[in-house]
Structure formats: structure tokens, C-alpha cells
């Protein structure tokens, strides 16, 4: 059974940093692209970052490019999101998601972790 | 950026009814579209990918179609457990964008 378990969320002040983690199990982690998707309170979904199987390629929307860094450790079946220079608009539930075998869509999602950016 | 305009924003329907949700893409995205269901308090679940393909384990009551740059999700024989918010996602070009969501309630 595919499982994605996020951790590392919490309350952080504007301008500070936070690192999220996602522990994957139930599949061969190194074979899949992985992603982070967020959802602000009572709002819709926003794709945040994607990383290739080896970690050599990463993709971001402009809203987080230069502030967020996605990375992975295939030996530990773990995905990370380093978030720097956090803003109030980054407040959201952050989901770890697996891309499908063709690296197209998100086929499995974690339960999400809440990040609140506030002074 | 490609805009995905989803409609309606909300709808209420009775069990066994048929409902259709649409997403209009601001430009051609081919079949690079997926539909997700998010039940209250849960993470999203993939329903349809590549515009018309049913994801594993999803009931055949769900179906997807395309007409030009308009994409539709049809739910036949509505069940109580279909309550939730439905989102489309375009995977054609970066940034990959979701529609604004359609909240479905059962009467």
C-alpha cells in the first residue's frame, strides 16, 4: 500500500525558514517523480514543486521559485521541501504527492501538514 | 499561465441524479487534464487522467470527456459518498494549474 507521511509543519514567523519532510513507503520511491502541492485554508489547490527520480531536475511555479527548494533522498525514501523567506500567503496545508508512472499526474497524496506563517 | 475556469462553483443534487462539472482551459492543453475529488477533511484523490481515462479503483459512474478546450466530468447515479469538492488540473505546461473547484452537495 502506498503511504506518504508528511511532517515538519508548524507556526513560523514571516521571513523565517521551515523544512518539510515526507516519508514514503509501499512503492519503489526512486522510480517516481515526486511533488508538493499546497492548499490555503478554505481555498483551492496549488502545485508548488516537482522533482525528477534522480533529483537532477526540479520544477517550480514563479510564486515560490527562488524561495523553496525540493529535494529527495532515495536511500531513505524521503522527500523534502525547504521553505525560505516565508510569507503569510504561504500559510497552507502542504501535501506530498507522487507522480504517476509517466510522471504526469499526481496519483497518490499524503494526509498533509499545516504550515502557518504569522507573527 | 494557463487558466482553468471551472463551473459551476457549487451544486446540489439528489442521489441517483446525473451531474456534470466543466473546466474551460484558456488555451489548448490537448488531453493533459485530470480530475480530482477531495472529500471533507481528506486529501485529493485522482479520478480521471488524460481527460478520459478512469483511475484505478474509481467506479465507472465517473467519466471524463473533452470538446476542444472544454473538459467535463460526469457523475452518473450520484451516491451520498460523492459529496466533496472536485478539481481539474492541467498538466500541459508549467505552471501546472488547478481549476477553482466545484463543491458538490447531496440533497
Amino acid at each position: 500500500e502506498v503511504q506518504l507521511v508528511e511532517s515538519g509543519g508548524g507556526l513560523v514567523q514571516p521571513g523565517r525558514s521551515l523544512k518539510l519532510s515526507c516519508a514514503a513507503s509501499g512503492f519503489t520511491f526512486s522510480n517516481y517523480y515526486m511533488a508538493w502541492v499546497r492548499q490555503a485554508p478554505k481555498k483551492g489547490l496549488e502545485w508548488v514543486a516537482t522533482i525528477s527520480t534522480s533529483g537532477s531536475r526540479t520544477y517550480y511555479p514563479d510564486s515560490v521559485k527562488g524561495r523553496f527548494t525540493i529535494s529527495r533522498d532515495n536511500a531513505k525514501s524521503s522527500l523534502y521541501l525547504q521553505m525560505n523567506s516565508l510569507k503569510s500567503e504561504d500559510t497552507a496545508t502542504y501535501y506530498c504527492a507522487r507522480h504517476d508512472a509517466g510522471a504526469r499526474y499526481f496519483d497518490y497524496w499524503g494526509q498533509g501538514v499545516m504550515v502557518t506563517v504569522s507573527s | 499561465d494557463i487558466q482553468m475556469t471551472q463551473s459551476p462553483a457549487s451544486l446540489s443534487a439528489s442521489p441517483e441524479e446525473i451531474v456534470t462539472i466543466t473546466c474551460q482551459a484558456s488555451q489548448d492543453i490537448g488531453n493533459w487534464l485530470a480530475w480530482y475529488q477531495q472529500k471533507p477533511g481528506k486529501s485529493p484523490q485522482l479520478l480521471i487522467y488524460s481527460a478520459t481515462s478512469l483511475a484505478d479503483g474509481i467506479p465507472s459512474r465517473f467519466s471524463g470527456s473533452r470538446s476542444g478546450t472544454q473538459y467535463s466530468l460526469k457523475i452518473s447515479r450520484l451516491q451520498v459518498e460523492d459529496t466533496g469538492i472536485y478539481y481539474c488540473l492541467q498538466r500541459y505546461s508549467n505552471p501546472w494549474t488547478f481549476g477553482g473547484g466545484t463543491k458538490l452537495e447531496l440533497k
Side-chain angles (χ1 to χ4, degrees), chain B residues 14-101:
Chain B
S14 300
E16 300 299 317
E17 279 191 24
I18 300 172
V19 298
T20 300
I21 298 167
T22 63
C23 261
Q24 179 69 49
S26 60
Q27 65 184 73
D28 179 30
I29 59 169
N31 285 332
W32 291 91
L33 183 111
W35 289 98
Y36 291 87
Q37 176 195 59
Q38 186 175 31
K39 294 184 179 182
K42 301 294 185 182
S43 53
Q45 180 181 22
L46 179 65
L47 300 175
I48 300 287
Y49 64 94
S50 298
T52 61
S53 298
L54 194 65
D56 290 345
I58 301 302
S60 58
R61 304 184 289 105
F62 293 87
S63 63
S65 64
R66 171 194 174 191
S67 176
T69 56
Q70 181 167 291
Y71 300 80
S72 299
L73 173 69
K74 179 180 173 181
I75 312 173
S76 304
R77 302 185 306 280
L78 269 176
Q79 307 294 307
V80 172
E81 60 265 28
D82 296 334
T83 294
I85 302 177
Y86 293 79
Y87 295 94
C88 62
L89 164 70
Q90 70 81 15
R91 182 59 183 85
Y92 181 77
S93 70
N94 187 343
W96 309 322
T97 46
F98 291 88

Side-chain angles (χ1 to χ4, degrees), chain A residues 28-85:
Chain A
T28 305
F29 181 74
S30 59
N31 287 350
Y32 290 84
Y33 277 49
M34 297 295 296
W36 290 96
V37 178
R38 69 184 179 184
Q39 185 170 36
K42 303 296 184 184
K43 299 295 184 182
L45 300 165
E46 181 186 16
W47 165 69
V48 171
T50 284
I51 189 167
S52 63
T53 52
S54 66
S56 61
R57 291 186 299 275
T58 56
Y59 309 86
Y60 307 92
D62 287 345
S63 58
V64 306
K65 192 178 295 182
R67 297 190 301 121
F68 289 11
T69 302
I70 188 172
S71 62
R72 64 191 297 162
D73 184 335
N74 286 341
K76 294 182 178 180
S77 295
S78 293
L79 179 72
Y80 306 100
L81 185 68
Q82 176 68 46
M83 302 184 292
N84 299 331
S85 303

Side-chain angles (χ1 to χ4, degrees), chain A residues 83-112:
Chain A
M83 302 184 292
N84 299 331
S85 303
L86 282 162
K87 307 174 182 180
S88 59
E89 52 263 42
D90 296 319
T91 294
T93 295
Y94 285 73
Y95 294 100
C96 168
R98 189 185 82 168
H99 278 271
D100 65 5
R104 300 165 299 174
Y105 308 100
F106 313 119
D107 62 353
Y108 284 93
W109 301 59
Q111 84 287 352

Side-chain angles (χ1 to χ4, degrees), chain A residues 5-26:
Chain A
V5 180
E6 302 93 338
S7 60
L11 174 64
V12 61
Q13 293 180 329
R16 304 298 292 266
S17 299
L18 196 66
K19 187 173 185 177
L20 305 182
S21 300
C22 171
S25 62

